Amino acid sequence: MTDVYIYDVVRTPRGKGRKDGSLHEVTSLRLSTTTLNALKKRNGLDGHAVEDVIWGNVTQVGEQGACLARSAVLASDLDESIPGLSINRFCASGLEAVNLATNQVRGGAGDGYIAGGVESMSRVPMGSDGGAVAVDPSFTFEQYFVPQGIGADIIATEYGFSRDDADQLAVESQIRAKAAWNDNRFASSIVPVEDINGLTILDYDEYIRPGTNMQSLGALKPSFKEQGEIMPGFDKVALMKYPHLERINHIHHAGNSSGIVDGSAAVLVGNKKFGEQYAIKPRARIRSTAKIGTDPTIMLTGPIPVTKKILLESGMEIGDIDLFEVNEAFASVVLRFEQAFRVSHDKVNVNGGSIAMGHPLGATGAMILGTLVDELERSDKETGLVTLCIGSGMGAATIIERV
C-alpha cells in the first residue's frame, strides 16, 4: 500500500464555549476557513492542490449544516474545484476525517487531502440536532441509553476509580497544559483567530484554569448524580444493564470532565508524490488507522478495544508506542486506558488534554493528532498513538511514526 504522510497541522486556539467566550461571535464557517487558509498559505497550495476536504463536525444543524465542508472550501482561499465532505463520528470526527483521507490516498484516490474539523459549541449547542440516540424512546429503551457523563461514572464504578483519582488527573492536565503554553510547545501549530480587520481575537487556549487544585475541585458537586439518582433516574437504566453493580459512584464534575469550547483544526496529508510536487517535507508517516463499535451504555470504553485492534493489525505491542494522546472526555476514560494497558501516565497527554483546554467535538481528534506530531518532534521520540472514546459506543485510533 502507498505510504501516507502528515505534511502539516494547524489549529485555532480553543475559545470558551459560552456567550462570553472570545470566539462566540465567530461562526464555525470562519473558524474552518481560518485553518484551511493557513494550510494553503504555509504550503503553497495552488489550484486543485488536494483531492478533497474531509471535515468533521458533530452537530450538523443550522449554521453547521448543509455540508459545512463544501461551504468552508468556497469561503476560503482554496480553489473552487476542490470539493468538500462533512462527516460525523461524534467526538472522533476530526480524527476520522484524517483516517478517511489517509485510506483514500492509500487506495489511489488522489495524492493529497486536507482533513480535520470544527465545532462552535457556543453557537450550536451540543445535542441541538435532536438525534434519535438521545430522544427517541423506541431506540433509547432498547439500547439502555444513559448520558455520556453517567457512562463515565459507570467506568469509574466498574474499574474502581475514586473521586480523588479523577481529580488528581484533572489537576495534572491543568499543570501540563500551562507548562506547555509557557514553553511555547503549541506555537508552530496555532493560527490566531482574527476579525475582518486583521486584529487578533484569540491566540491562546482561554479555557485553561492554571490555579486548579485538589481543594478547588473538591468543592464541586458531581454533575450527573441528580439525573442519575433522581430525575429522570438513569442509574436505574444502567443497573438493569449491569446488575452486578450495587450503585453508580458519581465522581465526575465540570473540573474533571472535558471543557465545552469552540475551535477548528486541519491536517494536510498526502503521498510522497504530493510532497515532491509542492516541495514540502513530511513530518510523520501514518502507519495505521482503526475504528470499532463497543457497548453503547457504558459507551466510553472504546479506546481499549480499538487500541488492541490497531496494535494487532500493525504487528505492534503497547511497549512500542512512545507517546499517547487519549482524549480526556472524562477523567475515567484516561484512567481506564492506563489501567488496561499498564501505561505510565508520563507517556499519556504530556501537554495536557481536553480537561484543561477543552473539547471542540468535531475538531479534537485532529487537534490532538497535531499535538502528538509536535511533541514527537520536540522530545525526539519516534512513535505515537491517538485514540478517542465516542458517543453511542465506538472507538477510533491512529498510529504515526516521526519522519
Side-chain angles (χ1 to χ4, degrees):
M1 299 291 286
T2 301
D3 282 339
V4 183
Y5 301 96
I6 295 173
Y7 284 98
D8 201 5
V9 186
V10 297
R11 73 168 177 93
T12 68
R14 299 167 173 98
K16 293 178 182 177
R18 303 194 301 260
K19 290 184 178 181
D20 62 349
S22 295
L23 298 182
H24 175 62
E25 299 301 323
V26 183
T27 66
S28 52
L29 179 62
R30 280 194 56 206
L31 291 173
S32 300
T33 58
T34 296
T35 51
L36 293 179
N37 288 342
L39 277 189
K40 179 184 186 299
K41 183 177 181 180
R42 284 163 55 133
N43 298 283
L45 305 179
D46 294 324
H48 191 83
V50 294
E51 188 72 16
D52 204 352
V53 171
I54 305 179
W55 213 236
N57 65 288
V58 174
T59 309
Q60 297 189 14
V61 65
E63 63 189 48
Q64 287 191 167
C67 192
L68 178 61
R70 176 57 176 165
S71 298
V73 170
L74 294 174
S76 75
D77 297 332
L78 293 173
D79 194 270
E80 67 178 13
S81 65
I82 299 171
L85 171 66
S86 291
I87 68 161
N88 178 11
R89 200 186 290 278
F90 296 134
C91 296
S93 296
L95 185 67
E96 187 62 26
V98 176
N99 290 351
L100 282 172
T102 297
N103 292 319
Q104 289 283 86
V105 176
R106 278 187 177 144
D111 296 321
Y113 281 72
I114 293 175
V118 69
E119 207 78 28
S120 177
M121 300 181 75
S122 69
R123 298 177 62 88
V124 186
M126 181 170 49
S128 57
D129 52 352
V133 66
V135 302
D136 184 346
S138 68
F139 175 83
T140 59
F141 181 79
E142 293 285 340
Q143 302 300 324
Y144 296 94
F145 169 82
V146 299
Q148 286 191 15
I150 291 179
D153 287 338
I154 296 171
I155 294 174
T157 306
E158 179 74 23
Y159 296 101
F161 304 125
S162 68
R163 167 77 178 253
D164 280 352
D165 292 334
D167 286 356
Q168 286 170 0
L169 186 142
V171 170
E172 184 65 19
S173 181
Q174 297 284 351
I175 292 171
R176 291 179 175 188
K178 180 62 174 175
W181 270 101
N182 289 346
D183 198 30
N184 293 318
R185 297 182 190 178
F186 303 128
S188 64
S189 298
I190 291 287
V191 180
V193 179
E194 300 176 343
D195 65 15
I196 59 174
N197 298 311
L199 299 176
T200 297
I201 298 173
L202 186 67
D203 60 2
Y204 65 95
D205 290 325
E206 69 174 343
Y207 188 80
I208 298 176
R209 294 153 292 176
T212 300
N213 55 41
M214 292 294 288
Q215 290 70 36
S216 62
L217 294 184
L220 299 176
K221 294 181 179 180
S223 297
F224 311 103
K225 183 179 177 68
E226 184 171 326
Q227 67 178 171
E229 296 180 354
I230 305 174
M231 290 294 293
F234 283 111
D235 283 7
K236 293 181 179 179
V237 176
L239 293 174
M240 286 192 291
K241 182 75 171 285
Y242 314 111
H244 62 284
L245 300 177
E246 294 184 5
R247 57 185 293 276
I248 307 300
N249 183 21
H250 293 286
I251 69 166
H252 288 94
H253 49 75
N256 59 28
S257 306
S258 57
I260 293 174
V261 294
D262 305 330
S264 175
V267 183
L268 181 63
V269 301
N271 56 22
K272 183 179 180 181
K273 175 184 175 183
F274 178 81
E276 292 173 344
Q277 180 179 354
Y278 290 95
I280 49 179
K281 294 181 179 180
R283 299 176 63 189
R285 182 174 77 93
I286 300 176
R287 176 161 179 163
S288 187
T289 71
K291 62 272 187 183
I292 203 166
T294 62
D295 181 342
T297 305
I298 200 168
M299 194 182 305
L300 306 173
T301 55
I304 288 86
V306 81
T307 295
K308 292 178 180 178
K309 179 182 180 185
I310 199 171
L311 290 172
L312 179 64
E313 293 175 348
S314 303
M316 301 177 71
E317 298 179 354
I318 199 72
D320 297 326
I321 307 297
D322 296 316
L323 294 172
F324 299 86
E325 285 290 327
V326 182
N327 186 39
E328 294 175 353
F330 299 90
S332 65
V333 174
V334 181
L335 291 169
R336 174 56 187 148
F337 182 89
E338 294 175 353
Q339 179 192 65
F341 293 106
R342 298 181 181 179
V343 172
S344 168
H345 191 56
D346 293 340
K347 293 184 175 183
V348 181
N349 303 342
V350 298
N351 292 309
S354 292
I355 289 174
M357 292 177 284
H359 176 20
L361 305 178
T364 302
M367 282 189 174
I368 63 177
L369 178 63
T371 298
L372 182 60
V373 173
D374 287 341
E375 183 58 25
L376 286 173
E377 293 174 343
R378 189 195 72 83
S379 60
D380 195 27
K381 300 290 176 60
E382 297 299 323
T383 306
L385 182 147
V386 178
T387 185
L388 300 94
C389 61
I390 307 173
S392 299
M394 293 182 283
T398 305
I399 293 176
I400 63 172
E401 299 173 333
R402 186 164 64 95
V403 175

